[in-house]
Amino acid sequence: MSNVAEIFGSKVFNLPTMQARLPKATYESLLRTMQEGTQLDSKAADVVANAMKDWAIENGCTHYTHWFQPMTGVTAEKHDAFIQPTEDGTVINEFSGKELVIGEPDASSFPSGGLRATFEARGYTAWDPTSYAFIKDNSLCIPTTFLSYTGEVLDKKTPLLRSMDAISKEAKRILYCFGKAPARVVSYVGPEQEYFLVDKELWKQRKDLMLTGRTLFGAMPAKGQELEDHYFGQIKERVSSFMKDVDEELWRLGVYNKTKHNEVAPAQHEVAPVFSTTNIATDHNQLTMEVLKKVAERHGLVCLLHEKPYEGINGSGKHNNWSIGTSDGENLLKPGKDPEANTQFLLFLAAVIKAVDDYAEILRLAVATAGNDHRLGANEAPPAIVSIYLGEQLEEVVEHLVSGAESSAAKAAAYLETGVEAMPVIQKDTTDRNRTSPFAFTGNRFEFRMPGSSQSVAGINIVINTIVAEALSQFADKLEGAKDVTSKAMEIVIDTLKKHQRIIFNGNGYSDEWIEEAERRGLPNLRTAVDALPYFVSEKSLSLFEKHNVFTRVETETRTDIMIEDYSKAVHIEMLTMLEMAKQEILPACLEYTSFVVDDVAKKQSIGISVPNEKEKAKRLSSLTEALIERIDALDAIAAKVPENCSVIETAGYYKDYALPAMDRLRKVADTLETMVAKEYWPFPTYTDLLYRI
């Protein structure tokens, strides 16, 4: 591997490259756009385009593409060559400001929730100058937004940028009251990315992994994760080689990839970056998922990003570490040495607490997918109940403020005694961590642990930014014009904490007792995506996003339809895949093996050999195979009765209430048969093969 400092960002049109290649006035104009959100001078586009083209060609590029993030959850790109024909039949390389600023992909071929019909195909991609252009596969990739011909947004990036504007606007109102005037307030994100690896040749033999990203059948192996030996364990040589290549590719793309390790489940791993502004972090996470998949292929592996590829062991999440700070470097969620006396911090903390409590349903629906339903609530991920963990120090602060008790002095630093004289002194953090909490304070940020591993972080942070912006807006309305800002701010803080203390829970989120306690507190428990997604089009939600110019009502409604349809499509594909595997692979194998056992019993009995145990095994195999046929037929009947001409939520409800339970019943009997049928008869690789043959 090359020197990291030398290769980092070598494929990115970043600030040093811009400064070296752009005229000073153009560079400063673009820098203001990136750092302060000011509109770019249109005259600068041609200058920037020409500099980008020259840089890209010098780095081996032949094409450019507007790289955007449609509602598919992955990225999209249409490549055009730089070439322009000349009169003498040759070509020259050209790239204009117009080509940089706007493109025109087909808008009717992407999810639009009905906004774009097939005969209404026109859509536009528009350059996002707040994100860096980069080089990938010999093409200059220009991050863009994606809009319909009629102006509605069809992507995840546009509303994310709008939400960043919203939280900046409202946070600046608060800070002005404290005598501060930052150019901008920015939300920051560091998304941790979990994933599984599987040998590609084994993956090819599993139709379920190929088509759905998860195993629809599979008995547990003799060894799972119970020894807890994989977590942070030694990385296998093949996996380590893969990780090194991932690091190098991401570093060249300017992704601040910092941490890598084995996760809890066998064949599960994680990468995590340093914090970036939310829009850049979103771009980088999309690139990270893409690079993980691409590099895995080169190593004869497949990267699985599904939330629950394997039943019975931990699934994969994407922990969304979120914070806000000013453009001049102040972290607004940093408690300081004495948080109880830090009025500004307490006000921003109270805003987050209020936002999460007021809009728990919307926060829950932001992570509502068919894949994540298999993960949330299991003892590996937070429950579907949204709550906030603050830790001992801040919980004590909240208790003092709510009760009116006398303020305690700032806690002195605590230290750990190891009992080993040679060991250095270890200073403890002021609070522990809670892995069972959906929304946990971790020192100077909040870690939202509910998102699934395959999700774009755009939608998640659109919601967080917007709900916090709304809380800050309400606070600013009360604070502006106050004679004594500090007193008024503390009044707001105390009142907010009293009203929203119910959302704070520092205990075990996995416990049954918490489910009962949450119900007593009146906290929503939206167990499935079908339960959660309709809240997106509640009047409360529609008004929220409309007020902060994040979504129009039409955009919210269409996105709801897209998300619900995605749920139904995912389950439908799984159902049909399961039926194919059961009919074409599992049933023939079971019939063949049962016939072998029955024939063997008959031969032995014909010569007078008593085989009561083998006879019982033959009967059990025959009985289970008959049950398999019955359950295949039952799922077939459900597949044939999927309702038509009804609402998208009614269709999703049918899949949740009928298809998924029938699929579980079919899987149960098939997995039991897997434990009885000889390995040479079983038609595809088992969990032992998939998890340990890497």
Side-chain angles (χ1 to χ4, degrees):
M1 182 183 288
S2 306
N3 182 286
V4 177
E6 291 178 358
I7 67 170
F8 189 86
S10 59
K11 292 186 177 182
V12 185
F13 196 70
N14 52 21
L15 291 181
T17 304
M18 291 179 199
Q19 190 168 24
R21 290 177 175 268
L22 295 174
K24 184 177 180 182
T26 305
Y27 170 74
E28 291 177 348
S29 176
L30 188 54
L31 187 62
R32 283 194 298 273
T33 296
M34 298 189 73
Q35 295 182 345
E36 300 176 15
T38 57
Q39 192 167 22
L40 182 68
D41 181 358
S42 58
K43 296 178 182 178
D46 277 324
V47 180
V48 175
N50 191 59
M52 275 188 185
K53 177 206 65 178
D54 290 346
W55 170 76
I57 290 172
E58 288 171 20
N59 282 276
C61 290
T62 56
H63 290 69
Y64 69 91
T65 178
H66 277 194
W67 185 78
F68 58 102
Q69 301 175 31
M71 290 296 293
T72 55
V74 294
T75 58
E77 48 199 60
K78 175 172 72 78
H79 299 251
D80 290 295
F82 288 118
I83 61 170
Q84 293 291 343
T86 63
E87 292 180 359
D88 62 1
T90 60
V91 296
I92 58 172
N93 289 311
E94 285 190 354
F95 184 49
S96 68
K98 182 180 179 181
E99 289 169 318
L100 168 64
V101 170
I102 192 166
E104 188 190 336
D106 187 336
S108 66
S109 298
F110 291 100
S112 70
L115 282 174
R116 297 270 82 193
T118 303
F119 67 91
E120 298 172 316
R122 194 183 295 275
Y124 298 109
T125 49
W127 176 36
D128 170 20
T130 66
S131 292
Y132 297 117
F134 56 91
I135 292 171
K136 180 169 67 74
D137 300 329
N138 295 324
S139 284
L140 172 66
C141 297
I142 302 155
T144 61
T145 59
F146 183 34
L147 307 170
S148 75
Y149 179 71
T150 48
E152 294 91 357
V153 297
L154 299 175
D155 69 337
K156 294 176 178 288
K157 189 70 174 293
T158 309
L160 178 65
L161 295 172
R162 291 174 177 175
S163 75
M164 292 176 69
D165 285 345
I167 198 167
S168 179
K169 173 187 172 184
E170 303 302 339
K172 282 167 64 177
R173 290 176 63 195
I174 297 289
L175 293 174
Y176 289 160
C177 295
F178 284 90
K180 299 177 181 179
R184 189 167 175 79
V185 172
V186 184
S187 62
Y188 295 91
V189 169
E192 303 168 23
Q193 179 69 57
E194 294 176 344
Y195 62 94
F196 280 84
L197 292 174
V198 62
D199 186 276
K200 187 175 181 180
E201 292 306 311
L202 299 176
W203 174 84
K204 287 179 180 177
Q205 299 172 54
R206 295 280 314 211
K207 189 179 292 185
D208 48 4
L209 283 179
M210 290 176 65
L211 298 182
T212 74
R214 76 178 182 104
T215 53
L216 301 173
F217 298 101
M220 278 293 292
K223 178 180 183 291
Q225 62 189 51
E226 55 272 87
L227 293 180
E228 300 167 340
D229 55 340
H230 191 257
Y231 189 54
F232 283 14
Q234 181 179 344
I235 300 170
K236 293 180 180 179
E237 186 173 343
R238 186 180 183 187
V239 176
S240 178
S241 178
F242 154 80
M243 287 179 168
K244 288 174 184 175
D245 284 356
V246 167
D247 280 338
E248 183 160 353
E249 286 222 15
L250 290 176
W251 288 335
R252 289 185 186 277
L253 289 166
V255 179
Y256 302 109
N257 208 42
K258 187 168 180 71
T259 302
K260 59 184 179 183
H261 61 83
N262 289 347
E263 256 298 335
V264 174
Q268 187 187 32
H269 313 278
E270 180 180 295
V271 293
V274 178
F275 277 66
S276 303
T277 57
T278 303
N279 59 318
I280 292 177
T282 298
D283 288 355
H284 284 180
N285 186 247
Q286 293 294 144
L287 283 171
T288 297
M289 292 191 286
E290 184 178 321
V291 167
L292 286 169
K293 290 181 178 181
K294 183 173 68 175
V295 174
E297 290 266 348
R298 294 208 300 260
H299 287 261
L301 299 166
V302 172
C303 176
L304 303 176
L305 294 176
H306 194 285
E307 285 72 22
K308 193 75 170 179
Y310 303 104
E311 192 72 23
I313 63 174
N314 277 17
S316 294
K318 182 177 299 185
H319 304 157
N320 189 86
N321 295 280
W322 177 91
S323 187
I324 49 174
T326 64
S327 52
D328 52 11
E330 181 184 6
N331 186 330
L332 300 176
L333 291 178
K334 186 174 182 179
K337 292 183 179 179
D338 186 2
E340 198 159 347
N342 189 341
T343 306
Q344 179 185 290
F345 161 74
L346 290 173
L347 195 64
F348 278 94
L349 177 68
V352 175
I353 293 170
K354 173 179 170 58
V356 173
D357 190 23
D358 281 345
Y359 295 101
E361 297 92 345
I362 299 175
L363 201 56
R364 167 66 181 94
L365 70 84
V367 299
T369 67
N372 216 19
D373 275 2
H374 296 288
R375 169 181 164 267
L376 291 178
N379 283 3
E380 61 191 74
I385 304 165
V386 175
S387 64
I388 286 180
Y389 168 82
L390 292 181
E392 293 177 11
Q393 183 188 38
L394 290 185
E395 185 181 34
E396 184 178 321
V397 169
V398 170
E399 289 292 345
H400 286 154
L401 293 172
V402 169
S403 66
E406 185 177 344
S407 175
S408 62
K411 283 191 174 182
Y415 298 90
L416 290 174
E417 293 292 337
T418 64
V420 180
E421 189 172 340
M423 290 287 290
V425 174
I426 301 173
Q427 184 174 334
K428 291 175 63 175
D429 289 306
T430 56
T431 184
D432 202 349
R433 297 182 66 191
N434 188 332
R435 297 184 66 230
T436 73
S437 175
F439 209 84
F441 187 75
T442 56
N444 59 4
R445 63 188 184 272
F446 279 94
E447 182 182 22
F448 186 32
R449 298 180 60 87
M450 294 178 79
S453 53
S454 67
Q455 286 189 269
S456 163
V457 297
I460 298 154
N461 290 293
I462 288 167
V463 170
I464 297 174
N465 286 346
T466 308
I467 63 176
V468 175
E470 172 58 20
L472 292 172
S473 174
Q474 293 181 29
F475 288 0
D477 288 344
K478 297 175 182 177
L479 201 59
E480 288 170 340
K483 293 181 180 179
D484 186 339
V485 170
T486 301
S487 296
K488 185 63 178 178
M490 286 306 300
E491 178 187 317
I492 294 169
V493 168
I494 293 168
D495 181 62
T496 300
L497 295 177
K498 286 180 178 179
K499 290 178 179 176
H500 299 283
Q501 194 174 12
R502 67 172 188 166
I503 200 71
I504 300 171
F505 177 66
N506 287 343
N508 181 7
Y510 292 166
S511 68
D512 292 336
E513 290 79 10
W514 168 233
I515 296 174
E516 297 172 5
E517 171 64 20
E519 186 175 357
R520 284 194 294 271
R521 294 188 186 192
L523 300 179
N525 185 5
L526 304 173
R527 292 180 174 83
T528 72
V530 178
D531 299 326
L533 287 170
Y535 283 92
F536 205 9
V537 286
S538 65
E539 180 58 35
K540 184 177 181 181
S541 173
L542 292 169
S543 300
L544 169 75
F545 291 111
E546 186 176 44
K547 173 183 174 180
H548 294 283
N549 192 38
V550 174
F551 296 123
T552 65
R553 289 182 171 242
V554 170
E555 288 166 350
T556 307
E557 290 163 356
T558 53
R559 276 163 197 269
T560 306
D561 286 350
I562 291 169
M563 293 167 74
I564 295 172
E565 285 178 350
D566 282 349
Y567 174 92
S568 295
K569 289 173 182 176
V571 179
H572 186 77
I573 292 168
E574 289 180 353
M575 178 175 64
L576 297 184
T577 303
M578 196 172 208
L579 284 168
E580 280 190 23
M581 293 176 71
K583 291 176 184 178
Q584 298 172 6
E585 299 180 77
I586 297 175
L587 180 57
C590 292
L591 289 171
E592 185 180 2
Y593 183 65
T594 301
S595 178
F596 166 77
V597 174
V598 169
D599 288 348
D600 188 59
V601 169
K603 287 176 184 177
K604 290 177 179 177
Q605 287 181 325
S606 69
I607 57 174
I609 299 175
S610 176
V611 284
N613 291 333
E614 291 180 42
K615 189 174 180 180
E616 284 303 311
K617 179 180 180 180
K619 287 181 179 179
R620 179 159 170 73
L621 277 168
S622 181
S623 175
L624 284 169
T625 303
E626 185 64 27
L628 181 71
I629 295 170
E630 290 175 0
R631 294 183 187 187
I632 290 171
D633 290 344
L635 186 57
D636 242 338
I638 287 169
K641 294 179 182 177
V642 175
E644 298 178 356
N645 302 319
C646 62
S647 70
V648 290
I649 193 63
E650 288 173 328
T651 302
Y654 179 84
Y655 283 111
K656 175 178 77 77
D657 295 335
Y658 297 98
L660 286 174
M663 291 165 66
D664 287 341
R665 290 191 291 270
L666 173 55
R667 175 173 185 154
K668 185 175 181 180
V669 69
D671 288 356
T672 302
L673 280 162
E674 182 187 329
T675 65
M676 299 180 65
V677 174
K679 183 171 177 59
E680 59 265 30
Y681 284 82
W682 200 250
F684 41 73
T686 65
Y687 270 23
T688 301
D689 299 322
L690 298 171
L691 292 168
Y692 295 102
R693 284 176 57 185
I694 296 180

